[in-house]
Amino acid sequence: MADKVAKGRHQASRGEEQGLAVLTEADVVAIREAYAAGKAGLRKLARQYRVSTRTIAGACYGRTWRHVPSPYMFRPRAKTKLTEMQVRAIRTRHAAGERCNALAREYGVSDDTISSIVRRFSWKNVE
């Protein structure tokens, strides 16, 4: 195995090319989108696609299916109250003139949290 990898003769199967894959790339994008929008949780998506919760979590968090481009890729954050989609909405709404304290009340976080998000001190990876 190491020899063929070193000589460039090894091509790992990814995604649908892998023989045991249950999900398709289109499924993965739809799963990420539904999860990001809060339309469905991991368990509901797992039942819908007839796979394990771990499979869905892997697709959402980028542990698996990394090669599938999607704006909805999640990175789990410890003890977070907000999703990446909410952070984008906060920045957009603040730029449109909404005040930090109003946004903080709506999202159930402190004014300082909103201020840090808007000034990109936190959630730097989210555009």
Side-chain angles (χ1 to χ4, degrees), residues 79-122:
K79 300 179 185 177
T80 183
K81 290 185 177 183
L82 301 171
T83 65
E84 289 185 16
M85 187 172 262
Q86 289 172 321
V87 169
R88 287 185 191 100
I90 288 167
R91 287 182 178 150
T92 302
R93 291 172 62 185
H94 185 268
E98 288 194 51
R99 297 182 55 98
C100 287
N101 59 357
L103 292 167
R105 274 194 305 275
E106 181 178 335
Y107 287 98
V109 296
S110 70
D111 293 0
D112 289 338
T113 298
I114 298 296
S115 178
S116 292
I117 290 169
V118 170
R119 293 183 298 159
R120 298 186 185 277
F121 292 154
S122 63

Side-chain angles (χ1 to χ4, degrees), residues 32-107:
R32 289 175 181 165
E33 184 176 343
Y35 186 67
K39 295 177 184 174
L42 297 176
R43 287 186 196 160
K44 182 177 178 183
L45 289 166
R47 282 193 304 272
Q48 181 180 343
Y49 286 92
R50 297 187 177 139
V51 295
S52 71
T53 304
R54 187 177 180 117
T55 298
I56 297 295
C60 287
Y61 298 137
R63 289 189 299 268
T64 58
W65 296 89
R66 289 184 191 143
H67 64 285
V68 177
S70 171
Y72 302 105
M73 180 90 70
F74 267 88
R75 294 283 184 251
R77 296 173 60 97
K79 300 179 185 177
T80 183
K81 290 185 177 183
L82 301 171
T83 65
E84 289 185 16
M85 187 172 262
Q86 289 172 321
V87 169
R88 287 185 191 100
I90 288 167
R91 287 182 178 150
T92 302
R93 291 172 62 185
H94 185 268
E98 288 194 51
R99 297 182 55 98
C100 287
N101 59 357
L103 292 167
R105 274 194 305 275
E106 181 178 335
Y107 287 98

